[in-house]
Amino acid sequence: MRKTNYLGIIFSLLILITSTSCIEPNIIEELGIVTAYGFDQNEDTQEIEGTVVLYQFNPDITDASQIIHSDGKTFDTIRSNANKQSGYQIVNGQLQTILFGPSISEEGIFPYLDTIERNAAVSDMLYVAVADQPTRDLMSASNYEEAPNIGIYLHRLIETAVKNEVIISSTFHEFMRSYFRAGLDPVVPILTVEDNKVEVNSIGAMQDDILVGTYSMDEIFYARLIRDRFKQGRTELTMDLNDFEGYIAEYVHDPRGDEMHVVLDQLGSTATIRVVDIDALAFEVDIKLDGRVIELSHRINLDEPEPLHKMEREVERQIEENLTKVVEKSQELNSDIFGFGTKYNNRTRGQPLTSEEWRDLFPNIEVDYNVSVEIKRFGIVQ
Amino acid sequence: MAQLQIPLDKKIKAVYLLIVLHTMQIGVGIAGYPRLVYLEAGRDSWISIIIAAIVLHLTIACIVFILNTNKDTDLHGILTNWFGSFIGKSITVVFIVYFFFMFLSVMINYIEFVQVFIFPQMSPWFITAALLTLVLYAVIGGVRIAVGTSIVFFFGAIWMVGLLYKPITLIDIDGYLPMFESEPRAILEGAKVTSFTILGFELLWFLYPYIHDKSKVNRFSQLAMAFTIAMIFTVTMVSIGFFSRGQLEGKIWPALSMMKVISFPMFERFDILAVALWMIIILPNMILLAWMISISAKRVFGWKQKYFLYLLVLIAFICQYQFDNRYYVNMLTDYVGQVGLYLGFLFPFLLLPFAIFKRVKGKNKADAKN
Amino acid sequence: MKRRFKKSSYFPCKLEQLEQDLKDQYFHASPDLASKIIHHDGKRCIIVFIDYLVDKNYLYNQVIGEIQHTPKWDHKTFKDTIPVSDSKQHTELNAIGDELLEGAACVYVEGEQNCLTFLIPRVEKRQPDRAETESLIFGPKVSFTESLDTNLNLIHKRMDTSSLKVEKFVIGNTVPTEVRMVYLEDLANEDNVQELRGRLSVLNVDDVLDSSTLTQLIEDNSYSIFPQFLTTELPDRFCYSLKEGRLGILVDKSGSGIVTPSSFFSFFQTTEDNYTRWNMGAFTRLLRIIAMVISITLTPTYVAALTYHYEIIPDALLVSLGHSRTRVPFPPLLEALILEFLIELIREAGARLPTKVGQTMGIVGGIVIGQAVVQAGFTSNILIIIVALSALASFTTPSYLMGSAIRIIRFPLMIFAGLWGFVGLVFSFAFIAIHLVKQRSLNRPYFVPVYPFQPRDIDNSIFRLPFLHSNKRAYSNKPKRIQRFPKPKKQKKSDIDE
C-alpha cells in the first residue's frame, strides 16, 4: 500500500546483473593451489630455483600432490613460470609453508618475503622455515604420512612441534614482527630429511634475516624458556646419583651408569628480563618454573621434603647452567633471539635503539639468572 | 521556514543516537587509522586519542547547547534565524558540499578495500552501483528507515570486535614500551589525525529535530562519543601491540591486516569475509550522509528531497571515475579531513557566543515579562 | 416487537402466482425450487424452498409439522409457534428470493399482506479436526474448520470474556463473503483497530476466496516476498495472539484465521514454545532462527567459496571438495542451482501427489536421485549435504508461507554469490536487511525487536522466559494494558540451609 519506487530498484538490479563479466572466477578445480614454496639459489645463474608444491585433485587417488620446479628472479616470477608447466591457474591463497634452502638463508631471506606481505590473498599464518639442504631435495621426500601433499605435511609438522612447545613458533607474522623489532631477532625451524621423511631438526638463529647458527633440540628448551612461556613443556635432566645416595629406596643396578635421569613435564614457566644496570649492560632473568616428575630412573622418596628440595635445587642449578650456555652461544653468534635488546630499548627513552647499535652492544651484556623450580606432583607413585 | 514541523511518527528515540552517531563515525577511517596515528605519535598514540576524546566531548556539548537554544530546528534553521537567509543558506551549502565529498571518500575507500583484498579486477563502477542501490533503497524510506538500517547494520557488524581476541592473544607487551617518548607536538599531530577519523558527529546538527525526547540528546550523544573513542582506542592499542614498529608503519590498513590471523575451523581466512562485511560498516555512513545531503538540499533549495537524492546518486556515480588510484584517494581523504576539522570541531565553538547571547537575551525577555 | 410494514404492491396474491413468479422472475426456471401447498380450514398455505439449501429434517418436523398442528392460520401465529428464531416478513419478491438463496423456507398464507421466511439452512460442515498444516506434538490439536460459526464458537469457548469484540464485514461484490474482525476491546490498540477496520471497509473487490487471499488484499506491501499477516489454523494460537493485543480476522468458508500485526519473528514461533517448559521453548525458538540463517547462507557461501574464495576452505575439506569437484562439468553456481531446483521439484511433487504416493516420491527423489547424481558426477557430495541441510532447515519454519519465502530467497542469494562472491552475498544480505526494516505490518514495524530496538520484547519474540517472569505483553503491539498480571512478590532469598 505504500508507495515505493520498485521500478528504480529493479532497474538498478538489472544493471548490476548485466555486468556479470566483471570478475574472473577462481573455481577450485581449475586452480593449482600452492601449499608450499621452496627456494634455492642457483650459484651459476644467480637466479632463484623454486619448488612449488600444489594440490592435484583426482577422485581416484587420495594423494593430491604435484611438484613443479621453475626459475626466476622474484617470487612472483617463479609462480608465473611454474604456470607455464601447468594447466591450472597457480594461486597462492592457501600457501602454508615457505621454505628456504641454505644458499638463500645464508644470504638473507627478507627480499623474498615482500610479496607475501603485499599480496592480501596470502595468509599471515604461514610458517617460514629453513632447510639444511637444497629444498628441491627436501621437498621430494616421498613419505608425508596421511597429508595430501608435502606442503601440508610440512605445515602440520611445524604446527605440531609448536603446539608441543618443542620449538619456537615462527609464523610469517611473528617472523616479520621480530624482524622489524629492534633488539629481537627471528628464529626459524630448520628441517632436514631422514629416511625419506622430513623432520624438524633444530631451530635457526637469525641475524635480521640471515641464518647465523643453529640450536639443537635440547638447547631450544632453554632458548624458549627465556623468549616465550611454557604451558606444557617437557625436559629431561641428568643428575649425579651420588647426590641422592641417602634417599634412594633400593639400589637397582642401572646399565646407564651412576646417573639419574629425570623427566619433567607439564612445565609451566614465566620469564622476565630485567635491566639491572643500563650502562654496564647488566641483565637479570627471573624464571619461575613448575611441573611434575613423569619419569625417574631411580626410586626416590619424593614425599619427603628433603629429597624433593634437593632435586628442585639441582634442577635449578642445571637450568641456570644451560641458560648461561645458550645465551653465551647467542652472544657468540650475535643474534639476540631472546629480546634483551627490546628490554634495553624500553629503558632508553628518547633514543630509539637501532639493530646496528645493538649488534655492537649485545656480545658485551652480562646476564644473571634466578631460576626457581617447583615440583608440584610426581605421578601416582611416591 | 526555519522551524520544522515533524510528525510524531517520523520521530525517533534519543537512544538511537548512541548507535547512529557511532556508526556514522566508524567507517573506512578506522581500518587505516592505527597506522596514521602511529606515524605521528608512536607508542603514545593513546594520549593523542584521549586528547581528541576530550575535544570531541566538548564539541558535542557545545553542539547540543546550541541546538537546545533553538528547539525543533536543524543547523540550517539556526543559521537562518540568527544570520538571515543568505548566510544560513551559504553555510548549509558548504556543509552539503563537505558531506558530499565525505560520502565520496567513504565510497572510494571501500572500493579500494575490495580491489586490494578480494577482487583486484572488479570494476569500481560496479561496486559503486551496488552501494548506491542500497543507499537509494534505504534513504527513500525516510529518516526512520535510514536510522533503522544503521542500527541493524550496527548489530550485524559489532560482533567483529569480539574477533579481536585472537590478535589480543598475540600481543607483545614490549610494543607499548617505552611510554611517554613522543614529543608533545607529535602527540598533538596524532590528536589531529584522530579527529579526522571521528568525524561524522555533524549528523547531530541535522538529526536533532527528528528526535523525540530532546532532553536525553546530550546524554546519548556523549555516550556515543565515548563508545566510538573506546572502539578506536581498542583497535589502535591492539594494533600497536600486535605489530612491531616497522610492520605497523608499513601496513596501509592495519585493522584489516589484523583480521588475517583469524580463522575458524570451517572458515580458514576470515579477512576475506571481513572486507566484504566492511560494506555493512560503511553503509550506515553512506545512508546517513545521503539522507543529510538530500534533506539539507531540500531545506536550502526547496525542491523535493527525492530529486536531490537521485541527483546525489548520479553525481557520486560520475565522480567515482575520477578516483581510480591510491594517490587521488589519499588526497581526497586528506582534504575532507582537513575541512572536517574546521567544520566539525571549530564551527560549533564559533557559534557558541551567539547561542549564549540568545539565551541571555531570551532570559532577560522572560524576566521582563514576569 | 411490532413492526409496521408498508402495504405491498405485490401482496396479497394467489399462491400459484407467487410460486410462478418466484420461479420465472427470480430463479429463471430453476429445477430446484420446491413448493408445497397445504389446506386447512378453507385456507391455503404455500411453502417454497430450494431443495438442497434447507435442512429438510427441520423443515418437515418443525415448520410443516407446526403449521399443520396450528389451529389458527395467520402469519402472526406462525411466527410465534414455529420454533425458528430467524424469521422475517417480506413484501418484495426479490427479498424473498435472496432469503431463499440463503437457505430459508418461505411461507405464505393466501390473502396475507406479506410473506414469511424462516431461515433453516442446511450447513455442510466438517467437525473440528486435527490441524494439518501446523502440526503439533504438544498442546491442543483442534483446528479451524471452513464454517465461520464453528470457528467463532471455538474462539468463544476459549475466550470466555465479555471484552471479546466481533465486528462484521461483508466483502465481495459478486460473491459476498462474511468477514469477522475479532479483538479484545480492553487490550487491542485503538489505532490498529481503526486501521484494520478502515482497510476492510474500503476493500472493494469482487470476491474473497480465502483468508490467505484476504491477507494479500489488505497487507502493507504486496511486492514483498515476506508474508506480513500471519495466517493460522490453530484456534489456540489465534486466541493467544488476541490476548497479546493483536487483532484477528476470520473469513467465512476459510479454514484459517489471520493475525495482525505480526512481526518477522512471530512467523518463527509456535504455540508449542509456550506449552513446553521455558528452556525448551527458548531453545526451539532459537533453533528455528538459526535454522533460518543456515538455510539462507549455507548454499550461497558454498557457491561463493568455490567460485572465488578458495582461500577460506580449510585444507582438510579442500582435498575432498577438489576431488569431487573435478568430475563436475558445471560451475559451482549452476551446480548449486540445479541441485536446489531438484530439491524444490521433489518437494513440489510430494505436495501435489496423494499422501501415500508422495512419501514414495520423497524416497525416490531423495535417495535414488541423490545417490545417482553424485555418482554420475553431476554434483559434489558436499553440496548434496549442504543443500539437504538447508532444505531441512527451511522446513523448521512453522509458517508455511515464511518457509517458502526463505526457500525462494535462496535463489537470488546464490546467484549474487555466484556472480560477485562474498561482496555479492553481503550486498544481498544488506538489501534484505533494508527491506525488512522498511516493511510494516498494519503500519506497525515488521522487524520489531531489532528495529525499533526493543530489548524487552526479545522475550516474546526470539527468546522465552518463565511465565512468572514475563508478565508483560509485547510492547511492539502497543496493547492498552502492558501487564498480563502483577509481578509476583519477590520472596526474600534465604541462605543455604536456613
Side-chain angles (χ1 to χ4, degrees):
Chain A
M1 289 199 161
R2 290 156 49 88
K3 255 182 92 179
T4 319
N5 199 325
Y6 280 92
L7 266 182
I9 292 151
I10 290 164
F11 182 59
S12 10
L13 281 180
L14 278 179
I15 292 180
L16 297 188
I17 288 165
T18 46
S19 62
T20 50
S21 55
C22 293
I23 319 167
E24 197 66 25
N26 280 336
I27 301 173
I28 58 164
E29 72 266 20
E30 292 169 5
L31 300 177
I33 298 170
V34 184
T35 57
Y37 278 105
F39 295 118
D40 292 303
Q41 180 106 39
N42 187 327
E43 301 295 341
D44 304 329
T45 58
Q46 287 304 310
E47 281 203 340
I48 311 294
E49 291 178 343
T51 311
V52 187
V53 183
L54 16 119
Y55 280 110
Q56 171 86 62
F57 298 127
N58 184 347
D60 299 328
I61 48 171
T62 51
D63 210 51
S65 172
Q66 200 199 351
I67 293 177
I68 295 176
H69 301 285
S70 72
D71 300 343
K73 279 201 164 58
T74 57
F75 190 126
D76 199 63
T77 312
I78 289 170
R79 183 198 61 78
S80 115
N81 283 344
N83 224 139
K84 289 181 190 158
Q85 304 169 38
S86 170
Y88 299 103
Q89 171 75 32
I90 290 184
V91 288
N92 293 336
Q94 285 267 0
L95 190 56
Q96 297 188 334
T97 319
I98 176 160
L99 200 60
F100 293 95
S103 48
I104 290 183
S105 58
E106 282 155 17
E107 301 277 316
I109 61 175
F110 183 72
Y112 308 99
L113 297 175
D114 179 67
T115 184
I116 299 177
E117 207 178 15
R118 201 172 286 280
N119 186 352
V122 183
S123 166
D124 272 7
M125 295 305 270
L126 60 90
Y127 283 113
V128 179
V130 168
D132 70 348
Q133 61 208 80
T135 58
R136 190 185 179 119
D137 304 343
L138 189 131
M139 284 172 139
S140 51
S142 59
N143 183 353
Y144 40 82
E145 296 177 351
E146 290 297 299
N149 58 44
I150 189 134
I152 306 287
Y153 171 72
L154 292 180
H155 183 84
R156 285 184 194 167
L157 182 74
I158 299 171
E159 196 168 58
T160 314
V162 170
K163 244 181 213 155
N164 292 342
E165 303 184 340
V166 179
I167 59 168
I168 299 167
S169 170
S170 83
T171 59
F172 175 70
H173 167 73
E174 283 160 328
F175 183 89
M176 293 306 266
R177 180 156 82 175
S178 311
Y179 177 80
F180 277 117
R181 180 153 288 163
L184 180 65
D185 282 310
V187 287
V188 285
I190 293 182
L191 306 180
T192 188
V193 181
E194 192 93 0
D195 286 342
N196 207 12
K197 193 173 180 196
V198 182
E199 60 179 46
V200 181
N201 177 28
S202 52
I203 61 167
M206 312 288 278
Q207 201 181 67
D208 289 335
D209 63 336
I210 301 164
L211 183 73
V212 287
T214 60
Y215 292 92
S216 71
M217 294 305 263
D218 294 331
E219 288 167 323
I220 296 170
F221 176 79
Y222 301 101
R224 205 181 184 286
L225 206 53
I226 307 180
R227 180 174 168 129
D228 216 331
R229 59 197 322 194
F230 279 103
K231 284 190 186 114
Q232 40 172 359
R234 178 194 168 282
T235 189
E236 185 196 301
L237 296 166
T238 307
M239 292 171 188
D240 191 355
L241 203 52
N242 297 327
D243 293 348
F244 293 91
E245 209 162 358
Y247 311 113
I248 296 174
E250 176 188 348
Y251 186 81
V252 183
H253 175 70
D254 187 339
R256 286 174 287 191
D258 277 354
E259 283 175 339
M260 186 170 69
H261 301 277
V262 183
V263 180
L264 301 171
D265 84 340
Q266 295 297 326
L267 287 171
S269 81
T270 52
T272 34
I273 302 175
R274 283 188 289 122
V275 185
V276 181
D277 187 339
I278 195 146
D279 297 321
L281 293 172
F283 289 80
E284 212 171 64
V285 178
D286 296 336
I287 290 174
K288 282 208 174 71
L289 198 66
D290 59 62
R292 65 171 189 184
V293 175
I294 189 71
E295 193 177 333
L296 208 55
S297 60
H298 293 81
R299 274 287 163 88
I300 295 176
N301 191 354
L302 291 173
D303 243 359
E304 303 285 329
E306 244 177 278
L308 187 66
H309 285 153
K310 195 169 170 66
M311 179 172 278
E312 283 175 355
R313 293 300 85 74
E314 180 63 20
V315 172
E316 281 167 14
R317 194 190 59 77
Q318 289 206 14
I319 286 177
E320 271 173 36
E321 209 171 84
N322 284 316
L323 284 174
T324 320
K325 273 188 209 157
V326 169
V327 173
E328 270 168 11
K329 182 172 179 181
S330 81
Q331 280 174 300
E332 270 166 39
L333 297 172
N334 203 351
S335 149
D336 181 5
I337 61 167
F338 309 103
F340 287 109
T342 320
K343 301 294 171 189
Y344 177 80
N345 182 31
N346 290 352
R347 290 288 294 276
T348 57
R349 178 162 307 145
Q351 29 186 300
L353 185 76
T354 59
S355 270
E356 289 69 38
E357 284 167 14
W358 189 241
R359 293 266 172 265
D360 298 337
L361 297 174
F362 181 56
N364 308 323
I365 65 166
E366 295 284 328
V367 188
D368 273 341
Y369 306 94
N370 304 315
V371 184
S372 73
V373 173
E374 192 187 353
I375 293 174
K376 288 191 161 170
R377 274 170 282 275
F378 24 86
I380 52 173
V381 292
Q382 36 104 319
Chain B
M1 174 68 204
Q3 230 67 10
L4 278 174
Q5 297 298 327
I6 290 141
L8 199 63
D9 65 324
K10 286 267 175 215
K11 288 200 172 181
I12 54 169
K13 280 190 268 180
V15 197
Y16 292 145
L17 278 178
L18 176 60
I19 292 169
V20 173
L21 288 180
H22 169 76
T23 55
M24 206 39 216
Q25 289 175 296
I26 302 290
V28 280
I30 196 166
Y33 165 74
R35 164 177 175 256
L36 297 176
V37 72
Y38 192 82
L39 283 177
E40 298 292 348
R43 299 184 191 85
D44 298 321
S45 303
W46 59 276
I47 308 177
S48 298
I49 297 178
I50 288 171
I51 293 173
I54 294 166
V55 175
L56 179 65
H57 281 288
L58 285 176
T59 314
I60 286 293
C62 177
I63 292 177
V64 175
F65 180 82
I66 297 167
L67 284 169
N68 276 341
T69 313
N70 280 37
K71 287 249 188 282
D72 281 330
T73 189
D74 57 4
L75 180 67
H76 176 73
I78 292 174
L79 293 172
T80 316
N81 268 354
W82 293 355
F83 309 113
S85 168
F86 178 72
I87 293 179
K89 280 187 179 173
S90 320
I91 296 180
T92 315
V93 169
V94 171
F95 265 93
I96 291 174
V97 172
Y98 159 62
F99 286 147
F100 173 73
F101 281 108
M102 209 166 169
F103 182 85
L104 209 60
S105 117
V106 169
M107 196 169 76
I108 58 182
N109 268 297
Y110 179 70
I111 292 170
E112 215 188 338
F113 286 0
V114 173
Q115 285 188 325
V116 169
F117 277 86
I118 326 181
F119 295 127
Q121 65 288 58
M122 196 180 226
S123 49
W125 71 264
F126 162 69
I127 310 172
T128 316
L131 290 173
L132 291 177
T133 312
L134 293 174
V135 168
L136 194 65
Y137 188 43
V139 177
I140 223 150
V143 61
R144 282 183 61 103
I145 306 303
V147 169
T149 41
S150 307
I151 284 158
V152 172
F153 289 152
F154 168 78
F155 288 124
I158 188 67
W159 57 273
M160 290 208 311
V161 179
L163 296 177
L164 281 178
Y165 93 96
K166 176 79 186 181
I168 285 172
T169 57
L170 294 171
I171 278 181
D172 187 353
I173 302 293
D174 288 332
Y176 302 116
L177 298 168
M179 283 185 189
F180 308 111
E181 201 182 34
S182 308
E183 289 174 17
R185 202 187 154 71
I187 286 173
L188 284 180
E189 279 294 318
K192 196 174 144 196
V193 170
T194 311
S195 66
F196 296 165
T197 307
I198 54 184
L199 285 173
F201 55 84
E202 301 94 322
L203 172 70
L204 190 58
W205 282 122
F206 298 91
L207 199 61
Y208 180 78
Y210 292 88
I211 287 157
H212 184 58
D213 31 3
K214 296 218 166 45
S215 55
K216 292 181 189 158
V217 168
N218 191 31
R219 186 196 308 163
F220 287 116
S221 334
Q222 298 286 12
L223 275 176
M225 297 306 120
F227 188 26
T228 307
I229 292 292
M231 182 83 89
I232 67 167
F233 188 84
T234 315
V235 172
T236 311
M237 289 323 268
V238 174
S239 307
I240 292 175
F242 181 73
F243 295 114
S244 63
R245 189 192 181 90
Q247 275 177 304
L248 188 54
E249 284 173 357
K251 306 243 178 206
I252 299 178
W253 298 294
L256 287 177
S257 293
M258 261 193 312
M259 299 280 183
K260 278 186 142 191
V261 301
I262 298 165
S263 78
F264 299 106
M266 293 303 282
F267 211 104
E268 205 153 77
R269 293 279 302 284
F270 184 75
D271 52 326
I272 309 276
L273 182 62
V275 171
L277 270 178
W278 217 271
M279 186 194 279
I280 279 185
I281 299 176
I282 61 140
L283 266 175
N285 275 285
M286 294 183 65
I287 288 170
L288 292 165
L289 279 169
W291 174 78
M292 274 200 289
I293 293 169
S294 56
I295 193 85
S296 314
K298 183 194 173 177
R299 300 263 288 145
V300 173
F301 301 109
W303 299 328
K304 279 195 173 176
Q305 191 183 348
K306 232 189 266 176
Y307 301 150
F308 287 111
L309 189 62
Y310 296 145
L311 195 68
L312 162 73
V313 166
L314 197 71
I315 297 176
F317 192 77
I318 294 165
C319 283
Q320 153 277 127
Y321 279 102
Q322 303 304 316
F323 300 95
D324 56 350
N325 85 38
R326 177 96 202 117
Y327 176 72
Y328 293 118
V329 176
N330 268 347
M331 209 165 71
L332 175 74
T333 317
D334 283 352
Y335 277 128
V336 170
Q338 297 281 358
V339 176
L341 199 61
Y342 297 108
L343 282 184
F345 288 95
L346 191 63
F347 181 70
F349 289 102
L350 290 181
L351 283 185
L352 191 61
F354 295 97
I356 295 170
F357 174 69
K358 290 274 165 187
R359 284 218 173 177
V360 171
K361 207 171 118 187
K363 210 179 167 194
N364 286 347
K365 252 186 196 168
D367 288 345
K369 265 186 189 169
N370 290 338
Chain C
M1 200 178 85
K2 263 195 178 172
R3 290 172 71 181
R4 296 193 76 75
F5 283 89
K6 264 195 281 174
K7 213 170 172 195
S8 164
S9 52
Y10 187 77
F11 295 105
C13 66
K14 282 264 181 213
L15 297 185
E16 286 78 9
Q17 193 201 342
L18 174 68
E19 190 191 351
Q20 202 57 44
D21 285 349
L22 273 175
K23 213 170 207 167
D24 292 347
Q25 289 177 19
Y26 194 82
F27 287 102
H28 307 292
S30 160
D32 298 317
L33 192 73
S35 60
K36 187 177 167 66
I37 296 177
I38 30 183
H39 302 258
H40 173 74
D41 229 3
K43 280 193 177 176
R44 291 202 307 157
C45 172
I46 187 167
I47 299 160
V48 190
F49 53 90
I50 295 174
D51 204 31
Y52 48 78
L53 281 184
V54 297
D55 187 345
K56 292 249 187 62
N57 209 359
Y58 207 88
L59 178 74
Y60 294 139
N61 292 338
Q62 307 292 331
V63 181
I64 301 181
E66 281 298 328
I67 289 175
Q68 279 169 342
H69 292 119
T70 313
K72 195 167 160 240
W73 274 26
D74 58 54
H75 281 174
K76 194 178 177 316
T77 333
F78 282 170
K79 240 190 136 173
D80 291 343
T81 51
I82 294 173
V84 174
S85 62
D86 202 348
S87 73
K88 281 180 194 141
Q89 293 177 332
H90 288 287
T91 53
E92 291 294 324
L93 205 59
N94 278 346
I96 300 169
D98 290 347
E99 285 279 316
L100 286 178
L101 270 183
E102 279 178 31
C106 140
V107 176
Y108 180 64
V109 180
E110 208 164 27
E112 290 277 347
Q113 294 297 323
N114 52 32
C115 180
L116 265 183
T117 57
F118 296 96
L119 201 62
I120 43 167
R122 187 175 85 178
V123 184
E124 291 297 334
K125 61 180 173 194
R126 60 184 175 93
Q127 286 299 307
D129 204 355
R130 284 174 72 99
E132 284 281 329
T133 47
E134 290 168 69
S135 68
L136 288 173
I137 302 168
F138 217 62
K141 290 173 184 67
V142 71
S143 81
F144 283 135
T145 71
E146 279 78 26
S147 147
L148 187 61
D149 296 347
T150 320
N151 293 350
L152 282 169
N153 175 284
L154 283 170
I155 289 165
H156 267 282
K157 222 161 48 185
R158 284 172 179 279
M159 309 243 289
D160 202 3
T161 158
S162 59
S163 65
L164 182 74
K165 213 173 161 206
V166 181
E167 284 179 31
K168 184 179 163 180
F169 297 86
V170 178
I171 296 171
N173 305 332
T174 325
V175 184
T177 304
E178 240 183 78
V179 173
R180 298 288 168 94
M181 173 172 140
V182 192
Y183 58 94
L184 287 174
E185 208 177 3
D186 57 342
L187 281 181
N189 181 279
E190 201 50 48
D191 292 343
N192 289 355
V193 175
Q194 289 286 356
E195 176 73 29
L196 186 59
R197 196 183 285 146
R199 284 190 196 181
L200 283 175
S201 48
V202 149
L203 205 59
N204 185 13
V205 287
D206 63 335
D207 182 17
V208 176
L209 271 175
D210 185 67
S211 52
S212 40
T213 336
L214 184 66
T215 56
Q216 295 175 49
L217 291 171
I218 58 174
E219 67 194 351
D220 299 60
N221 179 358
S222 13
Y223 296 102
S224 174
I225 193 170
F226 296 107
Q228 289 138 53
F229 290 177
L230 186 76
T231 49
T232 176
E233 54 165 10
L234 297 171
D236 59 327
R237 182 161 193 193
F238 191 86
C239 294
Y240 179 75
S241 301
L242 296 190
K243 279 180 256 176
E244 283 288 300
R246 299 207 177 103
L247 318 177
I249 304 172
L250 286 175
V251 179
D252 195 15
K253 300 171 283 193
S254 165
S256 55
I258 305 170
V259 172
T260 177
S262 348
S263 71
F264 178 70
F265 293 104
S266 66
F267 289 88
F268 296 93
Q269 298 167 10
T270 64
T271 35
E272 222 164 307
D273 304 339
N274 289 327
Y275 297 140
T276 49
R277 299 186 53 74
W278 74 272
N279 17 32
M280 302 167 199
F283 173 74
T284 43
R285 250 178 214 184
L286 287 175
L287 181 80
R288 274 183 226 120
I289 288 165
I290 292 167
M292 182 258 294
V293 175
I294 285 177
S295 169
I296 293 179
T297 50
L298 220 49
T299 328
T301 310
Y302 171 88
V303 171
L306 262 71
T307 318
Y308 299 105
H309 310 295
Y310 66 93
E311 296 101 332
I312 66 150
I313 306 169
D315 55 293
L317 207 57
L318 189 68
V319 177
S320 70
L321 263 177
H323 282 337
S324 59
R325 272 291 305 173
T326 44
R327 292 172 56 180
V328 181
F330 315 111
L333 172 61
L334 204 58
E335 180 196 8
L337 281 177
I338 289 174
L339 209 58
E340 287 279 358
F341 188 66
L342 189 71
I343 290 256
E344 285 298 298
L345 277 185
I346 293 170
R347 186 196 56 76
E348 186 62 19
R352 292 296 145 251
L353 286 170
T355 325
K356 282 173 192 159
V357 194
Q359 280 171 357
T360 328
M361 184 65 225
I363 294 164
V364 170
I367 299 170
V368 179
I369 297 182
Q371 189 78 15
V373 154
V374 173
Q375 282 192 348
F378 248 55
T379 62
S380 65
N381 36 21
I382 288 173
L383 183 65
I384 292 262
I385 299 171
I386 286 176
V387 167
L389 192 64
S390 46
L392 197 66
S394 78
F395 288 121
T396 58
T397 309
S399 160
Y400 183 74
L401 285 177
M402 187 52 100
S404 310
I406 285 168
R407 276 202 303 283
I408 291 169
I409 222 167
R410 273 212 305 259
F411 287 92
L413 278 180
M414 258 184 277
I415 292 170
F416 274 82
L419 295 182
W420 306 298
F422 281 148
V423 176
L425 199 57
V426 174
F427 169 79
S428 21
F429 271 112
F431 193 86
I432 293 171
I434 300 176
H435 180 75
L436 283 174
V437 170
K438 282 182 99 162
Q439 269 340 280
R440 322 211 96 206
S441 168
L442 201 74
N443 263 348
R444 294 267 166 235
Y446 184 61
F447 206 38
V448 75
V450 183
Y451 180 77
F453 186 51
Q454 285 284 18
R456 293 166 298 192
D457 272 6
I458 287 174
D459 165 29
N460 281 315
S461 55
I462 300 170
F463 202 67
R464 180 162 113 58
L465 291 177
F467 280 130
L468 279 179
H469 291 282
S470 75
N471 67 330
K472 294 209 172 118
R473 299 189 170 84
Y475 285 79
S476 45
N477 299 326
K478 299 235 161 41
K480 280 182 188 154
R481 277 187 291 121
I482 279 287
Q483 254 192 1
R484 287 202 181 101
F485 50 87
K487 200 154 186 131
K489 265 188 196 146
K490 265 198 185 147
Q491 295 204 325
K492 202 178 156 245
K493 273 189 187 154
S494 58
D495 192 22
I496 309 170
D497 293 336
E498 227 173 45

